[in-house]
Amino acid sequence: MAKTGMYVGLDIGTTSVKVVVAEYIEGQMNIIGVGNAKSEGINRGIVIDIDKTVQAIQRAVAQAEEKAGIQIRNVCVGLPANLLEVENCQGMIAVNNESKEITDEDVRNVASAALVRSIPPERQIITILPQDFTVDGFEGIKDPRGMIGVRLEMNGLIFTGPKTVIHNVRKCVEEAGLYINEMVITPLALTSSILSDGEQDFGTTVIDLGGGKTTAAVMHDKQLKFTYVDQEGGEFVTKDISTVLNTSFNNAEALKINYGDAYPERTSTSEEFPVDIIGQAEPVNVDERYLSEIIEARIEQIFIKAKDALDEIEALELPGGVILSGGAASLPGVVDLAQEIFGVNVKLHVPNHMGLRNPVFTNVISILEYAAELGEVYQLTKSAVTGETTQVEQSSQTYTREAVYEQPTYEPEEPDYQEADEAEEKEGLGDKVKNFFSNIFE
């Protein structure tokens, strides 16, 4: 059945908070509202000021409400990949129904069996993603409900993250007066949304060059295999320009946008422009090549660090190459520089939706599209994580222009703050990656 209804995506980024409202009519997505507000409570993808983040969310939501003509109460929000871990899981149960027909409850129970594991106290399970089911030895089943069997097995992926990150995102959304329909792992949504079936199957790397951080995600065999986060992004390029040229941050951002190019070979030393220097009455002329060299130095550093992490798992040998996304990736010359550093085919993904043809909106559109594609089987397995007993039919989103959908999916939980240590992100990367991906290319 083609999906119908309204979905709202929320991307809480370092430089801005973006909201997109889309209406699905017989499976066709039409974007009817967009909100974009400057973010001041986020640093490197992590909430550092709840009040300021709440205000940014409210401003973005208000813009989207005005353009869409609806009142927004439910959102699908993206979670960053900071300290994200992915594990394989398996569960097996005996079918208890006297008729031996597999029901919703059996699917929920086999997911619960797959969740039995030890989780460190500072982490929590975000979600479980079913890959396939096995009924009495028959493998590769996507939806076992209604089938006859005595033994049901499930293979899936468990995603875990730091409690402090998950709690802070939820807290900000709820204090903004919204309910969370789905917490979507942003790199999972990104790879699932922008990659073709072939790219997901044979293997492709997606690099999201954001304002406050850079995230690399590897998709292979239609599964998210690996994520890497570098706490540097487009804002660091602006800071470098500001420091080297001794100009204000706002001036540096304007120079980057108006004259910037990440590939010096494409620029000229004869093209000059005035720069307001702090402490000097008159502007100083700076040539295009010099500005480009400043930009290149930072982006090259970001790409080299990403390449080192990807080389550890031989991800750049995958045939899909590298796809760039994110606002900083739209800077001229970035694709050329990336292709030179990574040594593989590189292309830039630009959304094709009218009015949103800018890589800065890629994440929020991906969150929305991914959430809209989630089926009933996923909702049942997710209920094993959340403890919900809601019927699958009630979990679907039913926005209309006249009525507001107000049923919460996630209940607020008690605060459980704990410092997310950035050093943990780097510690033991090689060993963890090699153990987990020893068979990635089999």
Side-chain angles (χ1 to χ4, degrees):
M1 176 183 290
K3 56 181 172 288
T4 299
M6 287 197 186
Y7 293 79
V8 179
L10 170 62
D11 176 35
I12 306 174
T14 301
T15 56
S16 64
V17 174
K18 292 165 282 291
V19 176
V20 170
V21 183
E23 183 177 23
Y24 277 84
I25 300 175
E26 296 182 351
Q28 180 66 40
M29 186 178 80
N30 301 305
I31 292 177
I32 62 172
V34 179
N36 190 3
K38 182 175 174 57
S39 177
E40 297 177 345
I42 306 290
N43 184 29
R44 301 183 180 186
I46 302 298
V47 176
I48 59 170
D49 190 314
I50 289 179
D51 290 339
K52 288 184 177 179
T53 303
V54 167
Q55 292 168 10
I57 293 172
Q58 289 173 333
R59 289 195 301 269
V61 167
Q63 290 180 21
E65 286 179 330
E66 182 178 356
K67 294 174 183 177
I70 67 169
Q71 187 178 12
I72 296 173
R73 282 291 176 265
N74 291 62
V75 295
C76 303
V77 62
L79 279 175
N82 299 66
L83 302 178
L84 176 71
E85 290 185 4
V86 189
E87 300 178 44
N88 289 310
C89 66
Q90 292 181 320
M92 182 179 70
I93 62 166
V95 179
N96 293 324
N97 194 316
E98 291 184 3
S99 66
K100 299 304 177 185
E101 184 173 303
I102 297 169
T103 64
D104 290 354
E105 189 64 27
D106 293 317
V107 173
R108 190 179 293 110
N109 289 341
V110 76
S112 297
L115 289 170
V116 177
R117 61 190 56 238
S118 176
I119 302 294
E122 72 276 8
R123 302 183 67 82
Q124 78 177 66
I125 295 174
I126 301 171
T127 192
I128 180 172
L129 192 64
Q131 299 297 307
D132 58 62
F133 296 85
T134 300
V135 178
D136 291 350
F138 293 95
E139 302 176 345
I141 298 170
K142 297 301 180 183
D143 186 352
R145 294 175 300 167
M147 297 181 180
I148 296 293
V150 296
R151 188 179 74 238
L152 176 64
E153 302 171 60
M154 186 193 82
N155 294 314
L157 297 174
I158 290 178
F159 296 87
T160 64
K163 282 185 177 180
T164 183
V165 173
I166 300 167
H167 168 82
N168 288 350
V169 170
R170 180 179 290 126
K171 181 77 172 177
C172 291
V173 175
E174 289 169 348
E175 290 207 356
L178 305 169
Y179 293 118
I180 299 176
N181 256 104
E182 197 69 50
M183 296 192 86
V184 177
I185 299 166
T186 301
L188 177 61
L190 190 61
T191 51
S192 300
S193 176
I194 73 174
L195 299 182
S196 65
D197 284 343
E199 289 170 332
Q200 293 183 42
D201 193 11
F202 286 92
T204 306
T205 299
V206 176
I207 297 179
D208 176 28
L209 199 59
K213 63 184 176 65
T214 298
T215 304
V218 179
M219 177 73 84
H220 183 243
D221 288 336
K222 297 188 176 180
Q223 296 180 12
L224 180 64
K225 295 288 188 177
F226 172 71
T227 60
Y228 159 82
V229 177
D230 178 16
Q231 304 294 343
E232 295 181 8
E235 275 194 348
F236 285 76
V237 175
T238 305
K239 290 177 183 177
D240 288 347
I241 297 171
S242 174
T243 301
V244 174
L245 299 183
N246 198 24
T247 188
S248 69
F249 185 88
N250 289 339
N251 285 341
E253 181 70 15
L255 291 173
K256 182 179 74 172
I257 293 172
N258 296 326
Y259 305 104
D261 195 303
Y263 204 63
E265 285 79 359
R266 293 156 39 112
T267 62
S268 170
T269 56
S270 61
E271 295 290 334
E272 295 184 340
F273 43 84
V275 178
D276 293 327
I277 304 299
I278 295 174
Q280 295 190 25
E282 297 295 327
V284 174
N285 286 337
V286 174
D287 66 76
E288 196 177 58
R289 174 68 61 88
Y290 186 49
L291 176 64
S292 180
E293 288 171 348
I294 299 171
I295 295 171
E296 179 199 34
R298 176 63 68 173
I299 295 182
E300 182 180 40
Q301 176 179 305
I302 292 171
F303 283 158
I304 287 175
K305 288 195 288 185
K307 183 178 185 298
D308 290 342
L310 294 169
D311 281 342
E312 289 198 45
I313 60 168
E314 301 177 343
L316 294 175
E317 296 183 12
L318 294 168
V322 173
I323 296 180
L324 296 177
S325 71
S330 61
L331 192 67
V334 168
V335 173
D336 296 318
L337 182 60
Q339 192 148 336
E340 182 178 288
I341 292 172
F342 293 115
V344 299
N345 183 50
V346 178
K347 62 181 180 180
L348 175 67
H349 175 80
V350 179
N352 60 1
H353 301 283
M354 186 69 68
L356 298 179
R357 290 172 181 162
N358 189 315
V360 74
F361 291 104
T362 301
N363 277 353
V364 66
I365 293 173
S366 297
I367 291 167
L368 190 152
E369 290 179 337
Y370 180 82
E373 293 291 337
L374 294 174
E376 293 183 357
V377 172
Y378 167 79
Q379 298 295 343
L380 289 169
T381 57
K382 185 188 75 171
S383 68
V385 177
T386 62
E388 298 166 357
T389 57
T390 309
Q391 294 293 326
V392 171
E393 306 83 55
Q394 294 176 328
S395 68
S396 61
Q397 304 179 55
T398 54
Y399 290 93
T400 64
R401 293 178 185 268
E402 296 78 19
V404 180
Y405 179 80
E406 295 184 329
Q407 180 183 349
T409 298
Y410 288 87
E411 293 294 331
E413 63 181 20
E414 291 297 320
D416 189 356
Y417 292 96
Q418 183 156 345
E419 293 286 344
D421 187 4
E422 290 182 6
E424 181 184 338
E425 194 169 349
K426 300 178 180 178
E427 183 180 355
L429 175 62
D431 292 338
K432 290 181 181 179
V433 170
K434 288 176 182 175
N435 291 337
F436 186 74
F437 302 110
S438 59
N439 62 348
I440 185 173
F441 301 118
E442 291 182 359

